[in-house]
Amino acid sequence: MAVVVGADGQLINTSNIGGVGAGLVPNLAPNIGALANVSGSTLPDPMTNEDGTITLPTFELKSRGSGLELGELQNLYGTKYMPMFQFIEKQQTGTYTYDPADDSMMSQDQIDAIKAEFEAEHGMSANMALLQAKAERVGQQTLGATAAQVAGKAAQAMVGGAPFGEGALTGLNTLNPFKGSKSMAPAQALYGVEGGTKQFANVQDAKAYQSLFPDAKITELPASEAPKDFLASGLQKMQGPKGTTIVDRLYGSEAAGANFKVTASAAGADFITQVAMGADPMDAAKDAGKTAVLSYVANAIIPGSGPIVGFLSKFF
């Protein structure tokens, strides 16, 4: 076959071989042979009607086969004209009438009617219902943060060596998120009454007691008998040994493991509490997850600061 460019720039098939691959290349004139026009018609444009509505044509894409075997089309016409072949054709399937007035805002009467219907059904205005829902959500998040505080501190104490029961009690006793975020100063020597259970944190208290009970014998207790500060010990585990960096506390070290245990415990308690209080599980999971990530990073930067950052994140 031969394809030439006509005087008006159109491609013209001079072989006049009809039927083979007809209709695959658009905009060829005249309608001759294998390279005929795709449809022979022009698709309509949108039309504005007298009543203000707009009639739009609807289309669908249909595939067009050449009727040739694989590779035969290329062999007949060459690769030069392959980009002109149109195997997918857009055909009109009908029309759709669109009224721009449908997109106009509702009238004030319609809006008032909707508000009245809502208030009659729920016993409060839509604005009041929205405020109530927001207040309820804040309450769920606050209780979640409180539970996270207890669980996180309990986990911190257990990381420091506390048994489960004592760790849980430590968590309950540290609802202040700032407590346990700083290393405690070394405890002073404890004093006790020989043969009794009475103990004193300093020698002044011990002497005052002895002045009341002259027969009492005050002795200094050995360090092994002094109560251990499990929160401080857990914080030291989260800090890691000297030279531990922020990156170390994020990944791949014992300090990172301690950080993860504390953060994961807090996040789990946060999520469970929010769901128990009626929060949507997906919303609770997103909120607890966000808080956990921020707390984990905060603990890596300043060990023990996670509960503070996590609590504040509930309100941003």
Side-chain angles (χ1 to χ4, degrees):
M1 69 163 284
V3 178
V4 298
V5 179
D8 58 356
Q10 293 180 318
L11 294 176
I12 299 176
N13 175 19
T14 60
S15 65
N16 200 28
I17 303 175
V20 181
L24 292 179
V25 180
N27 302 323
L28 294 181
N31 187 9
I32 55 175
L35 303 179
N37 292 337
V38 173
S39 60
S41 63
T42 303
L43 296 174
D45 294 325
M47 180 178 64
T48 302
N49 305 312
E50 293 181 359
D51 60 358
T53 60
I54 301 174
T55 299
L56 304 166
T58 57
F59 305 101
E60 69 177 5
L61 296 178
K62 292 185 178 180
S63 62
R64 300 172 60 88
S66 67
L68 302 175
E69 297 294 333
L70 183 65
E72 188 175 354
L73 187 63
Q74 176 178 319
N75 293 336
L76 285 174
Y77 299 118
T79 58
K80 179 177 181 180
Y81 298 106
M82 286 293 291
M84 302 175 191
F85 294 170
Q86 195 171 58
F87 294 99
I88 302 296
E89 177 186 10
K90 184 167 69 172
Q91 296 183 354
Q92 183 176 356
T93 58
T95 59
Y96 169 76
T97 301
Y98 162 69
D99 188 353
D102 291 342
D103 282 347
S104 300
M105 295 181 61
M106 291 186 294
S107 66
Q108 188 60 45
D109 291 340
Q110 291 175 310
I111 295 175
D112 292 340
I114 292 174
K115 288 181 177 179
E117 182 181 352
F118 183 93
E119 188 167 350
E121 181 177 352
H122 299 283
M124 65 179 73
S125 67
N127 290 337
M128 183 62 67
L130 179 60
L131 290 175
Q132 182 174 313
K134 288 182 177 180
E136 182 179 351
R137 184 70 186 112
V138 170
Q140 293 165 351
Q141 291 176 306
T142 302
L143 288 174
T146 302
Q149 161 69 22
V150 173
K153 292 300 184 182
Q156 181 177 327
M158 285 187 280
V159 166
F164 177 80
E166 190 166 352
L169 183 60
T170 301
L172 289 171
N173 290 332
T174 57
L175 286 176
N176 176 4
F178 294 89
K179 189 170 182 179
S181 63
K182 295 183 179 181
S183 298
M184 304 298 292
Q188 297 180 1
L190 291 181
Y191 298 87
V193 178
E194 187 174 327
T197 59
K198 188 69 175 177
Q199 294 182 349
F200 308 96
N202 54 69
V203 69
Q204 290 83 6
D205 291 343
K207 289 182 177 180
Y209 180 84
Q210 193 175 35
S211 66
L212 296 174
F213 303 95
D215 295 336
K217 185 177 180 181
I218 304 299
T219 60
E220 183 175 339
L221 299 177
S224 59
E225 296 184 21
K228 185 177 181 180
D229 188 341
F230 293 111
L231 278 178
S233 297
L235 183 61
Q236 290 175 356
K237 292 286 185 66
M238 294 169 66
Q239 289 173 334
K242 186 177 181 180
T244 301
T245 65
I246 294 175
V247 175
D248 294 332
R249 287 191 286 267
L250 285 172
Y251 174 77
S253 69
E254 184 178 351
N259 185 5
F260 178 80
K261 291 177 182 178
V262 171
T263 306
S265 299
D270 187 358
F271 170 74
I272 292 172
T273 302
Q274 289 193 50
V275 173
M277 294 303 298
D280 178 79
M282 186 61 69
D283 290 339
K286 290 179 180 178
D287 184 72
K290 176 196 71 174
T291 301
V293 171
L294 293 175
S295 297
Y296 186 80
V297 174
N299 279 332
I301 298 173
I302 304 176
S305 65
I308 304 169
V309 174
F311 184 83
L312 293 177
S313 72
K314 299 293 185 181
F315 306 101
F316 296 99

